Amino acid sequence: MDMLWSGWGDPAKAAPLPETVTGLLRELLGVTPRESGPAGLDGIDAPPSPLGDEARAALAKATGGPEHVRTDAESRIRHTRGKSTPDLLRIRAGEVDDIPAAVVLPGSHDEVLAVLTACAAHGLAAVPFGGGTSVVGGLAPHTDRPFVALDLRRLDRLVSVDEVSRTAVLEPGLRGPACEALLNERGWTLGHFPQSFEWASVGGFAAARSSGQASAGYGRFDEMVLALTLATPEGTLETGRAPRSAAGPDLRQLVLGSEGAFGVITAVTVRIRPLPERRIHEGWRFPSFEAGSTALRRLAQDGPRPTVLRLSDETETFIGLAQPDAIGGTDTPQPAGCLAVTGYEGTGADTEDRRAKAREVLLACGGEPLGAEPGERWEHGRYNAPYLRDALLDAGAFAETLETAAFWSALPGLYAAVRDALTTTLTGAGTPPLVMCHISHVYENGASLYFTVVSAQGEDAVAHWEKAKQAANDAIIAAGGTISHHHGVGTDHRDWYAREIGPLGVRMLQAVKAETDPAGVLSPGVLVPVR
Amino acid sequence: MDMLWSGWGDPAKAAPLPETVTGLLRELLGVTPRESGPAGLDGIDAPPSPLGDEARAALAKATGGPEHVRTDAESRIRHTRGKSTPDLLRIRAGEVDDIPAAVVLPGSHDEVLAVLTACAAHGLAAVPFGGGTSVVGGLAPHTDRPFVALDLRRLDRLVSVDEVSRTAVLEPGLRGPACEALLNERGWTLGHFPQSFEWASVGGFAAARSSGQASAGYGRFDEMVLALTLATPEGTLETGRAPRSAAGPDLRQLVLGSEGAFGVITAVTVRIRPLPERRIHEGWRFPSFEAGSTALRRLAQDGPRPTVLRLSDETETFIGLAQPDAIGGTDTPQPAGCLAVTGYEGTGADTEDRRAKAREVLLACGGEPLGAEPGERWEHGRYNAPYLRDALLDAGAFAETLETAAFWSALPGLYAAVRDALTTTLTGAGTPPLVMCHISHVYENGASLYFTVVSAQGEDAVAHWEKAKQAANDAIIAAGGTISHHHGVGTDHRDWYAREIGPLGVRMLQAVKAETDPAGVLSPGVLVPVR
């Protein structure tokens, strides 16, 4: 099934907002309903593909057949940009200036190498495309050259499972559900459940350092990766012979997060774990974000470590975004304070043991147990927020998210600074926002902050947001946070990323890119500026 | 205190082998006693320093005074090569062809930058020198240029502790015991206890990806590092703003393991943990290395995870090398089978809980509990093996170690291949060896193998060993292992490292080096060949 071209997910699952919510948006944020919905796909005026006959022939040869080189308007529109809110607003408005010249579908590592060679020979850029769920401009290269979307969907095999080592070799085009299903059949799980799970791909998880909602228990995707194969214009890199090694820098960690700029990930060896016997999710209420944060920190530092651990701030709790399915329902008044969700997965005994011990810590930190219902409601709605965004956009509201991470001691200042930046900028622009936040990934030494912003769209929602986002990015860098905890750099974060790692860091990455991709074929302007 | 120039550690702690051991060596391996011990330090004929007056003045200016630029023979001899057995045999024989032109002691990050600038200006190479404990030729650059040993001992501060985030900023010249003492005073520990602990430095731990004997509980050093400052000839790199990030490749993991080739690590932010309330070590006997390995794997994969977890093979158990202090004693007959040591650190309750649950797993895998004594004996002697090596060398024996790691399913083949390579080569050379092995670092997906080889020295012990070591390295690469789990690459492993990461991997690292060190000042030929 193809993703909704103008929004998120399965078009059949789209649902309008309840009247209570549109009323709330109107009264609270001054949101006025849109006159009309987005134009249809066939109403979009896509420019003809600039792909020449020779280039087309070369790409067809590289991929084993002309059917794997698509230049029809629909294919190209469906591979235009990603799924950030500005991406959606622009495509809904028919703006397709970032449209690829073609969609190319290689079926193997060698075909990926051949596509890269053909692109270099014919002056084309190439942008690896997995699930197409980038929210940071990772699919919109900055280049004057025509580019192809290098769609990896045909590389979708579970190649092998090593049950002794507990590893599996996956191809990059596997999407979350297919990957889990293949592993589950054999009794294993990857345990990687980001909000984009239903659409994002294994290659994207690796290339953009994804982190799933069960990261407290299963770790981030970059922590699951044990080996990688990378196809570059200069050949193949194979890295990872042991879980850990002292043989030089960890090249896996140089490829992870490289977002297609160095090469195309064509295979990933990951850690797998036995399917849990049991899954429990529970809700807790804390009197304040600070008290809840302290509870999360204590669990992250001294244990026991739940599998899922998240905490909404007062605003997010009040609005009920922790449970998107419940928004606007009148049957579930939200508790005051801050809602936390804890989850435990594993064997029956281990799950009970950790839950009982974590309960003591949560109680000692001022938590009030709310039972299983809020946890189960969160679990049920965990992939639905992007659908909610579509409905908000349809209703004339603006909704977007951004995220960061820092060490624990920097977190309160970072939280305040980003909230202030967003609120001040959007209020100044005449569209005062609701700014909500949660912690959803915890570590011994720090945690992530995930912000959701809802406002009226105003005159020019994309321009409004650009200023607010810049102010938030500036605040993140000034407050000591990282420009992204799990969305990545893409083109949107590139300038702030350069500030985060400094000029020498940028040069080191540019040097690597120049070595693996001397002609600059791959994702120009993604991650680091073109040198 | 300075390390013994011709061997390991505190000269006052050296002790000859018991007569029972020299008898055993004679009968088992044909070891004949040496006529005489090593020459004295003042008997070594060191060439005069090639450092010119201008270069000396520039280095003195860079370090704030002439006393920080040392060209006397003793200082230079003490900074010649590292502590591999060939290093020791060569220095004992008075071979000082790798001697530095000077020992330079900067006192700050800025002084390190200034030293690098001065070296570039005066045609000198520079080799960062921490504890001087490299066993892989990391301190012996391959260059025709004169080089300075850039000794970091003056950068020895605990800069700061963040008790909320549980992080500490350390300078690279801090050695293990001083670092622990400074943290312990405040109630914290790093938990990093490699065999070289008493002499190795924080900078070396980071640069060479050290792994400590409590890695099952505390992780490897590269897993403890949260941020790094790197001084390079092209300026400073600061990396690490959060425990984890999706902002591009993890540059920390590019600096860790770079062994001084990209720059000099001048500060490291590490994770710290509360001092444990309790430490327990216990011994277990397994009927075979295979049965014991399965037990270790089960604990690593399904828990509970001990803090220390190690297993000697049959030969190492028989010889008793797991407990160096006991070798040659008649009061402690070694058990048959394979000795494992388990350790637990933490709060009283947590320690007891993990110990009880681990006991069930170990029993189920065929383990026989031996009580606390073998564990405590291991703990007592844990840093003593290098002293034992000195005594063996004095007695005319050859003794050296090497190590690797792989995924669990590759481990049995790797074990057999390396043992065979060592045994065949050394037996063929007329010096049949004892080859012993242990697993001392476990992960969910694999483990390390650490080999100890003892034989007669033969006609030319260095040349004998070179062939055996090459055969072992070839076997490691062929059997899918990594060329080093925690010793590093240096110059000794460089050619096999190139095979491990492939030509494109080497080029990527050379490109980074060319960017941070375009004049090739830093550790030429270490890690990757000079391009």
Side-chain angles (χ1 to χ4, degrees):
Chain A
M1 188 197 330
D2 279 325
M3 173 109 85
L4 176 65
W5 69 276
S6 60
W8 184 261
D10 177 358
K13 287 197 193 166
L17 291 180
E19 177 52 37
T20 46
V21 177
T22 48
L24 198 71
L25 289 171
R26 189 171 53 241
E27 284 161 38
L28 212 57
L29 302 175
V31 172
T32 50
R34 292 172 54 93
E35 304 280 303
S36 61
L41 183 60
D42 51 11
I44 290 187
D45 188 21
S49 170
L51 197 69
D53 290 343
E54 283 183 24
R56 178 191 298 271
L59 290 169
K61 190 173 172 207
T63 53
E67 69 275 25
H68 302 313
V69 184
R70 301 184 184 165
T71 52
D72 62 285
E74 178 171 342
S75 295
R76 291 163 57 224
I77 291 167
R78 287 186 180 280
H79 288 77
T80 300
R81 294 188 289 263
K83 297 294 179 184
S84 73
T85 300
D87 287 346
L88 300 188
L89 290 169
R90 291 173 64 202
I91 201 106
R92 280 163 170 245
E95 285 179 35
V96 288
D97 47 317
D98 291 325
I99 198 167
V103 179
V104 179
L105 299 101
S108 68
H109 174 84
D110 288 346
E111 289 187 8
V112 172
L113 288 173
V115 168
L116 295 177
T117 302
C119 286
H122 294 275
L124 296 165
V127 177
F129 190 103
T133 60
S134 172
V135 291
V136 293
L139 302 170
H142 287 185
T143 176
D144 294 333
R145 275 177 292 167
F147 73 97
V148 304
L150 201 161
D151 190 317
L152 293 156
R153 70 179 64 187
R154 289 176 63 210
L155 281 85
D156 63 351
R157 289 180 311 147
L158 167 60
V159 178
S160 61
V161 173
D162 175 346
E163 305 217 340
V164 173
S165 306
R166 294 195 179 173
T167 63
V169 180
L170 308 171
E171 287 190 331
L174 265 177
R175 290 188 182 172
C179 175
E180 270 302 305
L182 288 167
L183 290 172
N184 291 177
E185 272 173 23
R186 301 175 181 223
W188 301 99
T189 181
L190 188 54
H192 187 64
F193 307 107
Q195 195 176 68
S196 60
F197 172 75
E198 293 174 323
W199 296 90
S201 68
V202 164
F205 294 155
R209 291 186 175 270
S210 173
S211 191
Q213 293 169 345
S215 68
Y218 288 98
R220 303 163 57 86
F221 197 78
D222 50 32
E223 294 167 331
M224 299 175 188
V225 172
L226 298 161
L228 287 158
T229 305
L230 187 75
T232 86
E234 292 289 295
T236 299
L237 176 75
E238 301 262 13
T239 176
R241 288 172 156 245
R244 292 284 181 272
S245 166
D250 191 341
L251 291 176
R252 297 174 295 204
Q253 297 293 332
L254 184 60
V255 173
L256 292 162
S258 64
E259 300 189 14
F262 301 160
V264 181
I265 295 165
T266 58
V268 185
T269 304
V270 292
R271 170 179 83 198
I272 54 174
R273 290 191 178 158
L275 263 179
E277 288 172 13
R278 202 156 172 217
R279 278 201 176 100
I280 310 169
H281 293 96
E282 293 179 324
W284 287 78
R285 174 167 33 204
F286 285 89
S288 67
F289 197 46
E290 190 188 348
S293 301
T294 301
L296 267 57
R297 178 166 62 83
R298 282 196 48 190
L299 289 173
Q301 292 183 334
D302 295 322
R305 186 70 76 93
T307 309
V308 171
L309 190 53
R310 42 197 300 131
L311 171 75
S312 294
D313 72 355
E314 289 84 350
T315 311
E316 187 168 294
T317 301
F318 177 76
I319 298 294
L321 195 71
Q323 306 165 0
D325 284 7
I327 289 181
T330 51
D331 55 328
T332 53
Q334 298 303 326
C338 290
L339 179 68
V341 171
T342 57
Y344 306 91
E345 299 186 8
T347 63
D350 172 62
T351 303
E352 254 336 306
D353 186 45
R354 283 189 294 145
R355 180 199 199 181
K357 286 179 181 157
R359 184 182 173 87
E360 286 173 37
V361 176
L362 294 164
L363 287 171
C365 291
E368 176 195 340
L370 302 176
E373 196 274 341
E376 286 163 8
R377 197 181 270 273
W378 168 80
E379 190 191 12
H380 181 70
R382 62 194 294 185
Y383 305 128
N384 291 356
Y387 287 105
L388 178 62
R389 176 177 60 167
D390 284 350
L392 287 166
L393 296 181
D394 287 343
F398 176 90
E400 181 58 302
T401 64
L402 59 85
E403 38 81 69
T404 178
F407 298 115
W408 285 111
S409 59
L411 224 54
L414 180 61
Y415 172 68
V418 175
R419 253 175 39 128
D420 286 358
L422 291 167
T423 306
T424 305
T425 318
L426 287 169
T427 302
T431 53
L434 262 176
V435 178
M436 299 163 270
C437 184
H438 62 248
I439 295 174
S440 45
H441 304 269
V442 297
Y443 306 93
E444 272 184 76
N445 309 105
S448 68
L449 292 176
Y450 189 94
F451 294 88
T452 302
V453 183
V454 180
S455 70
Q457 291 193 4
E459 283 299 298
D460 180 344
V462 173
H464 272 219
W465 175 244
E466 197 171 317
K467 279 185 198 141
K469 170 82 174 165
Q470 286 182 3
N473 290 350
D474 289 343
I476 285 170
I477 296 299
T482 175
I483 197 62
S484 174
H485 172 266
H486 58 271
H487 284 169
V489 175
T491 48
D492 293 355
H493 289 154
R494 195 186 57 206
D495 296 348
W496 289 269
Y497 177 52
R499 286 160 60 185
E500 179 170 336
I501 65 170
L504 188 57
V506 172
R507 284 171 55 192
M508 289 164 78
L509 297 178
Q510 287 175 321
V512 172
K513 182 170 175 61
E515 196 67 37
T516 64
D517 180 25
V521 168
L522 284 156
S523 296
V526 169
L527 192 67
V528 287
V530 175
R531 174 145 77 165
Chain B
M1 189 198 332
D2 279 325
M3 171 109 85
L4 177 64
W5 69 276
S6 60
W8 184 261
D10 178 357
K13 287 197 192 165
L17 291 180
E19 175 53 36
T20 47
V21 177
T22 48
L24 198 70
L25 290 170
R26 189 169 53 239
E27 283 161 38
L28 212 58
L29 303 175
V31 171
T32 48
R34 292 172 55 92
E35 304 282 303
S36 59
L41 183 60
D42 50 13
I44 291 187
D45 187 21
S49 169
L51 196 71
D53 289 344
E54 283 183 24
R56 179 191 297 271
L59 291 168
K61 191 175 171 206
T63 52
E67 69 274 26
H68 302 313
V69 184
R70 301 184 184 164
T71 52
D72 62 285
E74 178 171 343
S75 294
R76 291 163 59 222
I77 292 168
R78 287 185 180 281
H79 288 76
T80 299
R81 296 188 288 264
K83 297 294 179 183
S84 72
T85 300
D87 288 347
L88 299 189
L89 290 170
R90 290 173 64 203
I91 200 107
R92 280 163 170 245
E95 285 179 34
V96 289
D97 46 319
D98 291 325
I99 197 167
V103 179
V104 179
L105 299 101
S108 68
H109 174 83
D110 287 346
E111 289 188 6
V112 172
L113 289 173
V115 167
L116 295 176
T117 303
C119 286
H122 294 276
L124 296 165
V127 177
F129 190 103
T133 60
S134 172
V135 291
V136 293
L139 303 171
H142 287 183
T143 177
D144 294 333
R145 275 177 292 167
F147 74 97
V148 303
L150 202 161
D151 189 317
L152 294 155
R153 69 179 64 187
R154 289 175 64 209
L155 281 86
D156 63 352
R157 288 181 311 147
L158 166 61
V159 178
S160 61
V161 173
D162 174 346
E163 305 218 339
V164 173
S165 305
R166 294 195 178 174
T167 63
V169 180
L170 308 171
E171 287 189 331
L174 264 177
R175 291 188 181 172
C179 176
E180 270 301 306
L182 288 166
L183 290 171
N184 291 177
E185 270 173 25
R186 301 175 181 221
W188 302 98
T189 181
L190 188 54
H192 187 64
F193 305 108
Q195 195 176 68
S196 60
F197 172 75
E198 294 175 323
W199 296 90
S201 68
V202 164
F205 295 154
R209 291 187 175 269
S210 173
S211 192
Q213 293 169 345
S215 68
Y218 288 98
R220 301 163 57 86
F221 197 77
D222 50 31
E223 293 167 331
M224 300 175 188
V225 172
L226 299 160
L228 286 157
T229 305
L230 188 74
T232 85
E234 292 290 293
T236 299
L237 176 76
E238 301 261 14
T239 177
R241 287 171 156 246
R244 292 285 180 270
S245 167
D250 191 341
L251 292 176
R252 297 174 295 204
Q253 297 292 332
L254 185 59
V255 173
L256 292 162
S258 63
E259 302 188 12
F262 300 160
V264 181
I265 294 166
T266 57
V268 184
T269 304
V270 291
R271 170 179 83 198
I272 54 173
R273 290 192 177 158
L275 262 179
E277 290 172 13
R278 203 159 168 214
R279 277 200 178 102
I280 310 171
H281 292 96
E282 294 179 325
W284 288 78
R285 173 167 34 204
F286 284 89
S288 68
F289 197 47
E290 190 187 352
S293 302
T294 301
L296 266 57
R297 178 166 63 83
R298 282 196 50 190
L299 289 173
Q301 291 183 336
D302 294 322
R305 186 71 76 94
T307 310
V308 171
L309 191 53
R310 45 196 299 131
L311 171 74
S312 294
D313 72 355
E314 289 84 350
T315 312
E316 186 168 295
T317 301
F318 176 75
I319 297 294
L321 196 71
Q323 305 164 1
D325 284 5
I327 289 181
T330 50
D331 55 328
T332 55
Q334 299 301 324
C338 291
L339 178 69
V341 171
T342 57
Y344 306 91
E345 299 186 8
T347 62
D350 173 62
T351 303
E352 253 337 303
D353 187 44
R354 284 190 293 144
R355 179 199 199 182
K357 286 178 180 155
R359 183 182 173 87
E360 286 173 36
V361 176
L362 293 165
L363 287 171
C365 291
E368 176 197 340
L370 302 177
E373 197 273 342
E376 285 164 9
R377 196 181 271 271
W378 168 79
E379 190 191 11
H380 181 71
R382 63 197 292 187
Y383 304 129
N384 291 354
Y387 287 105
L388 177 62
R389 176 178 59 168
D390 285 349
L392 286 166
L393 297 182
D394 288 342
F398 177 89
E400 181 58 303
T401 65
L402 59 85
E403 38 81 69
T404 178
F407 298 116
W408 285 111
S409 60
L411 225 53
L414 181 61
Y415 173 67
V418 176
R419 255 177 36 131
D420 286 356
L422 291 167
T423 305
T424 305
T425 318
L426 287 169
T427 302
T431 52
L434 262 177
V435 178
M436 300 163 269
C437 184
H438 62 248
I439 295 175
S440 44
H441 304 270
V442 297
Y443 306 93
E444 272 183 78
N445 308 105
S448 68
L449 292 176
Y450 189 95
F451 293 89
T452 302
V453 183
V454 180
S455 70
Q457 291 193 5
E459 283 300 300
D460 180 343
V462 173
H464 272 218
W465 176 245
E466 198 173 315
K467 279 186 198 140
K469 169 83 173 164
Q470 286 183 2
N473 290 351
D474 287 345
I476 285 170
I477 296 300
T482 176
I483 197 62
S484 173
H485 172 268
H486 58 271
H487 284 169
V489 175
T491 49
D492 293 355
H493 289 155
R494 194 186 60 205
D495 296 349
W496 289 270
Y497 177 53
R499 286 159 62 185
E500 179 169 338
I501 65 172
L504 188 57
V506 172
R507 285 171 53 192
M508 290 164 77
L509 297 178
Q510 286 175 322
V512 172
K513 180 169 175 65
E515 196 67 38
T516 64
D517 180 24
V521 168
L522 283 157
S523 296
V526 169
L527 192 67
V528 286
V530 175
R531 175 144 77 164

